[in-house]
Amino acid sequence: MKKSIFNIGIQCALLFVLFSCEKKETQQKAPPLMPYPVVQVAKQTVTTHENFPASIEGEVNSEVRPKISGYIKEVLVTEGQAVKQGQLLFRLETQSLSQDAQAAKANVNAAQVEVNKLKPLVEKNIISSVQLETANAKLLQAQSAYNSIGANIDYANVKSPVDGVVGSINFRKGALVSAQDPMPLTNVSSIDDVFAYFSMNEKAFISFMSEAKGETSEEKLKQFPEVKLQLANGELYDKMGKIETIAGDINVQTGTITFRAKFDNKSGVLRNGSSGTVLIPKTYTDVMVIPSESTFERQGKSFIYKVFNDSLTEKPITVLKSSGRLFIIKDGIEEGETILAKGLNKVSSGSKIKPIMKPLDSIINSFETVFK
């Protein structure tokens, strides 16, 4: 009897030990929750920029063309040289014109001799005055021909029409040029100030004008915000520009409207024919923002993971605009809600995490990845 009781006690003890071990083993198998950064949805005032490709032109951009045909005898300037209005740029060959001028001068002298011979005869009524008038007409005609050739000789000296900088020189010494050539000899541009021309489609233009301050077009134009210029190398130009004019019609072929912004260019960084991108600022006041990396896409839609205690729930959102590493959210989340900030590719809806609250700025300015 005592032995039976003793055996029962041993069996109970063994069962207790086995149960305890199984419970302990089960507890050891439960994985710990992994820490993930989370952020709280907040509202901010954000300024974004609309980008428009632009072409740069000097405030004055004048084509230099010869007025007569001829061979270039001298090129008196170099590309990029600053010149003044009236400065000699090219000299054309004038040998044939000089010969024509000599012949024309001889005709003038002959006509003058004829007039001088007839004048006393008319005064003595020996001949009719009609003969003298005819001789005077021939003299004027000869003088006109001579003056025309003289003007052409002067046109052989091609001068700058404006103050500015010489562009590409398209013809060199010995080239035959004429006023009908499709390509000018060169361009002279005044680039102390430059214009950036860009276009906006009709839909964007209507939105742009409706959001601009002012009652009339003139008032809106004056109150347009200053714009930035992104250069071809991706850097921002160090001067702000001002939109000065908007075309009065829509290009029927492209459906766009042309804008012109003016930039100071005393430094000479910008050149006629340069390209760039005009950045027009747009401010969104008191809007919900989240880090762009706190979203993911599926089938063309954007999603976030909303955090409830330590569980994640997938939720669709609508992105209104991006600004750097921020997304401006139109709908789908509310201010004060908590969302998963990083590591979205490591979890799924229903996953449990250990939320680590982080400031929004620390996520935006961080380039670290979570759990590589």
Side-chain angles (χ1 to χ4, degrees):
M1 182 70 178
K2 288 182 179 181
K3 187 176 182 180
S4 298
I5 295 173
F6 177 76
N7 289 336
I8 293 172
I10 291 175
Q11 290 176 359
C12 290
L14 289 173
L15 289 173
F16 178 77
V17 171
L18 288 172
F19 178 77
S20 299
C21 290
E22 288 180 2
K23 184 177 180 181
K24 185 176 181 180
E25 187 176 339
T26 302
Q27 290 176 344
Q28 288 177 345
K29 287 183 179 180
L33 296 180
M34 297 296 293
Y36 280 83
V38 299
V39 293
Q40 201 169 48
V41 179
K43 287 187 176 182
Q44 292 184 5
T45 295
V46 180
T47 298
T48 65
H49 291 87
E50 298 286 345
N51 303 339
F52 300 93
S55 58
I56 310 298
E57 292 186 12
E59 187 174 18
V60 176
N61 182 37
S62 180
E63 291 185 344
V64 178
R65 293 180 178 275
K67 293 183 179 180
I68 61 170
S69 299
Y71 290 95
I72 296 177
K73 187 176 181 180
E74 290 182 275
V75 179
L76 302 171
V77 290
T78 58
E79 295 171 344
Q81 180 179 335
V83 296
K84 296 293 184 181
Q85 183 178 8
Q87 182 173 335
L88 190 60
L89 307 180
F90 301 86
R91 184 178 283 117
L92 306 185
E93 181 273 323
T94 60
Q95 183 176 354
S96 60
L97 288 175
S98 297
Q99 293 173 351
D100 293 341
Q102 291 175 0
K105 182 63 176 177
N107 290 336
V108 171
N109 292 336
Q112 185 66 58
V113 169
E114 183 69 14
V115 169
N116 293 340
K117 183 179 74 173
L118 295 177
K119 190 177 291 185
L121 297 177
V122 172
E123 291 173 353
K124 294 177 182 180
N125 292 322
I126 297 176
I127 62 173
S128 170
S129 61
V130 174
Q131 289 179 275
L132 179 59
E133 290 175 2
T134 302
N136 277 323
K138 290 181 178 179
L139 175 60
L140 291 174
Q141 187 176 18
Q143 288 175 336
S144 176
Y146 175 72
N147 292 337
S148 177
I149 294 172
N152 284 341
I153 291 176
D154 186 59
Y155 290 153
N157 297 316
V158 182
K159 301 175 181 179
S160 175
V162 294
D163 294 347
V165 176
V166 177
S168 298
I169 296 176
N170 300 314
F171 297 91
R172 299 292 174 174
K173 182 178 179 179
L176 178 62
V177 296
S178 72
Q180 289 73 41
D181 289 334
M183 187 179 296
L185 296 176
T186 188
N187 287 67
V188 176
S189 304
S190 175
I191 58 172
D192 284 346
D193 294 303
V194 297
F195 294 131
Y197 291 90
F198 63 97
S199 298
M200 192 179 293
N201 64 44
E202 186 176 0
K203 182 179 178 181
F205 171 73
I206 293 172
S207 299
F208 180 74
M209 293 298 290
S210 63
E211 293 170 1
K213 298 178 181 178
E215 296 296 327
T216 65
S217 296
E218 290 76 14
E219 290 178 359
K220 291 176 182 289
L221 195 59
K222 289 179 181 179
Q223 298 186 63
F224 282 159
E226 289 187 316
V227 298
K228 297 179 181 179
L229 180 65
Q230 188 176 42
L231 304 179
N233 63 356
E235 295 181 1
L236 288 177
Y237 185 53
D238 60 359
K239 299 285 194 307
M240 299 291 286
K242 183 69 177 175
I243 296 176
E244 289 192 333
T245 61
I246 304 174
D249 58 347
I250 297 176
N251 187 315
V252 294
Q253 294 181 337
T254 62
T256 59
I257 299 172
T258 301
F259 286 64
R260 189 184 77 185
K262 186 176 182 179
F263 290 85
D264 178 277
N265 188 42
K266 298 296 189 298
S267 62
V269 172
L270 303 175
R271 295 283 168 161
N272 187 67
S274 297
S275 61
T277 303
V278 170
L279 309 179
I280 300 180
K282 183 174 182 179
T283 300
Y284 295 86
T285 303
D286 201 28
V287 290
M288 287 183 294
V289 295
I290 62 173
S292 57
E293 62 185 302
S294 300
T295 69
F296 64 97
E297 288 191 3
R298 185 187 300 125
Q299 297 180 347
K301 295 183 178 180
S302 296
F303 296 84
I304 51 93
Y305 282 120
K306 188 174 179 181
V307 181
F308 291 94
N309 296 323
D310 58 359
S311 297
L312 301 179
T313 301
E314 182 181 297
K315 194 172 183 182
I317 58 170
T318 303
V319 178
L320 179 63
K321 189 71 177 176
S322 64
S323 175
R325 300 184 71 193
L326 274 179
F327 275 170
I328 300 172
I329 305 304
K330 182 178 181 180
D331 55 51
I333 53 177
E334 300 293 335
E335 184 181 11
E337 290 185 337
T338 301
I339 64 170
L340 181 64
K342 289 185 176 183
L344 281 71
N345 60 329
K346 303 294 183 180
V347 297
S348 60
S349 186
S351 296
K352 292 184 176 296
I353 65 168
K354 181 181 179 181
I356 307 296
M357 186 63 69
K358 295 286 186 179
L360 181 65
D361 290 343
S362 70
I363 301 299
I364 296 171
N365 297 325
S366 172
F367 290 89
E368 298 178 357
T369 57
V370 176
F371 305 130
K372 296 180 181 179

